[in-house]
Amino acid sequence: MSELTEIVDSLENRISKLLHKYENLKQIHSSLEEEMNTVKEENQRLTQKIEGSNQEVQNLKAANAMLGSTEFKTETKLKLNSLIREIDQCIVQLSE
């Protein structure tokens, strides 16, 4: 009978340890999820910042070309032609 008691005690001890490990892993999982969400938000913020910076670079290139620089002149002409076509399409739609 004492052998059975020892086995039950051993099982209880192991179950207790497993439950403790489970709770620890659950806490770690929760903290990792929070960290992942924080990193995702930071990534999204930085992506938006990069997009804004890229747009600003394009605007500066266009402004530079308009001021007489030949470096981005072709690119600026293409952009202006595209904008003029869009304006022409808007005028056509408004006149209909």
Side-chain angles (χ1 to χ4, degrees):
M1 186 74 170
S2 104
E3 188 175 311
L4 185 62
T5 305
E6 287 178 18
I7 292 173
V8 169
D9 286 343
S10 173
L11 284 173
E12 285 179 351
N13 192 15
R14 288 180 184 176
I15 290 172
S16 174
K17 287 179 182 178
L18 285 174
L19 288 174
H20 181 69
K21 284 183 181 181
Y22 171 75
E23 289 300 321
N24 284 341
L25 289 174
K26 207 165 130 179
Q27 288 176 353
I28 291 170
H29 180 266
S30 177
S31 67
L32 287 174
E33 278 186 333
E34 288 176 20
E35 184 179 350
M36 180 181 68
N37 288 334
T38 303
V39 169
K40 280 182 179 180
E41 290 172 3
E42 179 71 8
N43 184 30
Q44 185 177 11
R45 186 186 66 78
L46 290 173
T47 301
Q48 290 174 346
K49 188 174 181 181
I50 287 172
E51 289 173 2
S53 295
N54 286 339
Q55 183 62 41
E56 187 176 345
V57 166
Q58 292 301 318
N59 292 340
L60 289 172
K61 283 181 181 179
N64 193 18
M66 287 179 192
L67 291 173
S69 172
T70 58
E71 187 176 351
F72 304 110
K73 202 169 197 169
T74 305
E75 186 177 328
T76 303
K77 282 182 181 180
L78 292 173
K79 181 68 174 173
L80 286 173
N81 286 337
S82 171
L83 291 172
I84 290 170
R85 279 192 296 277
E86 286 182 31
I87 291 171
D88 287 342
Q89 288 175 355
C90 289
I91 291 171
V92 168
Q93 288 178 355
L94 288 173
S95 65
E96 292 177 351

